[in-house]
């Protein structure tokens, strides 16, 4: 993969991970599942859906230029990015197992992308 496509794929994965943080914020904004107004007027939910829509279109653009077998392993990085973002935005604890597992995923991405 060229550096441009690696950067684009990492940007897409970061967008997906950021969308997860927005979905978490949206869930925290909703007090009851039956309050339809809390869903419809939930800014975090709207932002998350927009971000997911944009990153989906961006992902399709990436797949026009990069084989799926090379691009898809990068999505595994979200398993490391999401807990780190959750820590910074919501104060959730980070665990050694998260970093060990993330390191294994990172190693797998490097191996898969190097073919």
């Amino acid at each position: 993969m060229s550096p441009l496509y690696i950067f684009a794929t990492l940007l897409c994965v970061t967008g997906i991970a950021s969308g997860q943080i927005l979905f978490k914020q949206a869930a925290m904004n909703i007090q009851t599942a039956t309050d339809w107004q809390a869903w419809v007027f939930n800014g975090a939910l709207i932002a998350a859906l927009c971000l997911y829509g944009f990153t989906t279109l961006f992902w399709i653009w990436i797949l026009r230029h990069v084989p799926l077998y090379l691009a898809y392993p990068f999505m595994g990085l979200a398993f490391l990015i999401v807990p780190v973002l959750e820590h910074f935005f919501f104060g959730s604890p980070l665990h050694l197992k998260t970093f060990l597992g993330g390191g294994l995923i990172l190693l797998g991405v490097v191996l898969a992308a190097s073919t």
Side-chain angles (χ1 to χ4, degrees):
M1 280 175 62
S2 75
L4 172 66
Y5 295 130
I6 291 172
F7 176 75
T9 305
L10 289 172
L11 191 61
C12 192
V13 172
T14 303
I16 292 291
S18 299
Q20 289 298 316
I21 298 304
L22 287 168
F23 280 128
K24 174 68 175 179
Q25 183 61 55
M28 292 170 57
N29 292 346
I30 297 172
Q31 299 301 317
T32 65
T34 58
D35 184 8
W36 67 271
Q37 292 169 330
W39 290 77
V40 173
F41 299 111
N42 189 329
L45 180 58
I46 293 167
L49 292 171
C50 289
L51 183 58
Y52 256 57
F54 175 77
T55 49
T56 297
L57 295 175
F58 191 35
W59 182 246
I60 292 168
W61 178 84
I62 291 168
L63 293 180
R64 288 188 66 227
H65 304 283
V66 178
L68 185 60
Y69 78 91
L70 289 176
Y72 193 71
F74 281 82
M75 286 297 173
L77 295 175
F79 289 103
L80 185 58
I81 297 169
V82 169
V84 170
L85 290 177
E86 184 183 26
H87 171 73
F88 285 113
F89 286 98
F90 301 114
S92 300
L94 287 172
H95 302 285
L96 178 61
K97 289 181 181 181
T98 301
F99 289 108
L100 292 175
L104 290 173
I105 290 169
L106 183 60
L107 178 63
V109 169
V110 169
L111 286 172
S114 66
T115 57

